[in-house]
Amino acid sequence: NEQVFGTYLHGIFDNNFFRRDFVNRIRSKKGWPVLSETSDFNVDKEFDKLAKVIRGNIDMEYLYKIMKI
């Protein structure tokens, strides 16, 4: 039913236009409202949020010990 997408192109989702268009096509098919052109996405902010979740859920001291940092 054509619901799978794969790519080997590193960084393809870094392009704001491509990413918004790709996501909006999925949102449209699901009947969800599309994201506006003014939707702001900051990859650094998103990585910071991910890092916070990781730090809050793993033993960082143990990880550093394993990595010998």
Side-chain angles (χ1 to χ4, degrees):
N1 55 8
E2 299 181 12
Q3 294 184 10
V4 176
F5 178 82
T7 179
Y8 66 92
L9 299 174
H10 179 75
I12 192 167
F13 291 103
D14 291 349
N15 180 285
N16 288 334
F17 176 79
F18 175 83
R19 184 180 55 251
R20 184 172 292 118
D21 182 64
F22 181 85
V23 170
N24 277 339
R25 287 174 188 252
I26 295 169
R27 293 178 69 89
S28 290
K29 285 183 179 183
K30 291 191 161 287
W32 299 349
V34 297
L35 301 173
S36 70
E37 292 298 318
T38 59
S39 295
D40 195 23
F41 179 81
N42 181 314
V43 70
D44 291 326
K45 183 178 176 182
E46 298 305 314
F47 279 133
D48 288 343
K49 288 180 355 186
L50 177 60
K52 183 178 179 180
V53 169
I54 291 170
R55 283 188 203 104
N57 289 284
I58 66 171
D59 184 343
M60 293 301 294
E61 292 301 319
Y62 184 69
L63 179 61
Y64 293 144
K65 181 179 176 181
I66 293 170
M67 295 171 53
K68 298 183 182 185
I69 295 179

